[in-house]
Amino acid sequence: NSDVIGTVTATTTVNVRRSASQDGTKLGVVYEGETLDLLEKRSDGWCKVLYDGRTAYVKTEFVE
């Protein structure tokens, strides 16, 4: 995917959401040490990532 700007690694078990919201539909979880392709590091505390080939979001505080 040409939009990928890097990767992020989960520092703990983190929920993957469809939207950048605590109330967003939960698509799944990633576990400590797992990596995701990063699409955008947003200023609102969320990272836009690829998850199962789809655009999804994780809280920035739980990835590095």
Side-chain angles (χ1 to χ4, degrees), residues 4-32:
V4 173
I5 59 170
T7 61
V8 288
T9 303
T11 56
T12 185
T13 303
V14 57
N15 291 321
V16 181
R17 306 239 178 226
R18 181 173 292 153
S19 57
S21 165
Q22 287 285 92
D23 302 320
T25 303
K26 187 172 155 183
L27 299 177
V29 295
V30 289
Y31 299 98
E32 183 179 353

Side-chain angles (χ1 to χ4, degrees), residues 6-62:
T7 61
V8 288
T9 303
T11 56
T12 185
T13 303
V14 57
N15 291 321
V16 181
R17 306 239 178 226
R18 181 173 292 153
S19 57
S21 165
Q22 287 285 92
D23 302 320
T25 303
K26 187 172 155 183
L27 299 177
V29 295
V30 289
Y31 299 98
E32 183 179 353
E34 288 194 282
T35 60
L36 294 167
D37 285 331
L38 178 65
L39 299 174
E40 181 188 0
K41 190 166 269 189
R42 294 161 46 114
S43 58
D44 63 0
W46 291 85
C47 283
K48 186 177 177 181
V49 296
L50 275 181
Y51 178 76
D52 272 350
R54 297 162 41 169
T55 301
Y57 296 87
V58 293
K59 292 274 300 193
T60 304
E61 67 194 276
F62 301 126

